[in-house]
Amino acid sequence: MKLFKILSEKRYLAIAVAATFVMLLIFPTFQSLGNLDVWFGFISPLNFVLYLIFSVLFGITISTQYYSFRQKVQACELKSAGSQAGSLLGIFAFQCPACIPILAQALGFNTVIFLSIYRTPLILLGILLMLISMYLLGAFKPK
């Protein structure tokens, strides 16, 4: 697969690891204002596993996009939009109870209620959109 070729290069592997690190550690720290015990205390086991999958796919997607950009692979708006939509859905779907007042002001309380109720399906949709983005970028094609 082309994905293995991309990740075999140190530069793209480093980008994937760095982006995964940002999602795994820096995002919860930022979102919980430094109270990681609170953030990890409120996330369900299923959502935690989905969070791990999302974080790894986020790193791989960013690396694949960078590879495509550097190789000047022609990408239509659909390819970029799919990945960005997947990333945004995944990020906002992981909101925690400590973030509700901030999100309610920024997005409106109805949006926060929607995100709270449909958190797991939104995470799954974000993961699916990132897989589609990687497919459209050619990551699953043979070398």
Side-chain angles (χ1 to χ4, degrees):
M1 267 194 297
K2 187 176 174 183
L3 179 62
F4 296 132
K5 177 184 176 252
I6 295 169
L7 295 177
S8 68
E9 295 184 34
K10 290 181 183 179
R11 172 185 355 180
Y12 302 115
L13 181 61
I15 291 169
V17 169
T20 300
F21 175 77
V22 166
M23 282 307 296
L24 279 175
L25 298 176
I26 296 175
F27 174 72
T29 303
F30 173 74
Q31 196 176 44
S32 67
L33 303 174
N35 298 318
L36 288 177
D37 54 333
V38 172
W39 195 87
F40 286 109
F42 282 106
I43 192 166
S44 70
L46 172 62
N47 285 347
F48 181 72
V49 169
L50 291 174
Y51 170 67
L52 293 175
I53 293 168
F54 176 84
S55 297
V56 171
L57 284 176
F58 179 81
I60 293 171
T61 301
I62 296 295
S63 181
T64 304
Q65 285 182 328
Y66 184 66
Y67 173 83
S68 296
F69 174 75
R70 297 283 294 170
Q71 299 299 318
K72 304 209 184 328
V73 172
Q74 187 67 25
C76 67
E77 289 78 23
L78 175 65
K79 294 178 185 179
S80 299
S83 173
Q84 292 169 1
S87 299
L88 287 175
L89 271 176
I91 288 170
F92 283 118
F94 289 115
Q95 53 88 13
C96 65
C99 302
I100 289 177
I102 297 168
L103 285 173
Q105 275 190 320
L107 302 174
F109 195 67
N110 289 335
T111 304
V112 175
I113 292 172
F114 176 82
L115 291 174
S116 297
I117 293 171
Y118 297 107
R119 180 181 310 161
T120 302
L122 288 171
I123 296 167
L124 290 170
L125 182 60
I127 289 171
L128 177 66
L129 286 173
M130 281 194 288
L131 288 171
I132 290 170
S133 174
M134 289 175 19
Y135 171 78
L136 291 173
L137 289 169
F140 302 121
K141 290 183 180 178
K143 292 182 185 180

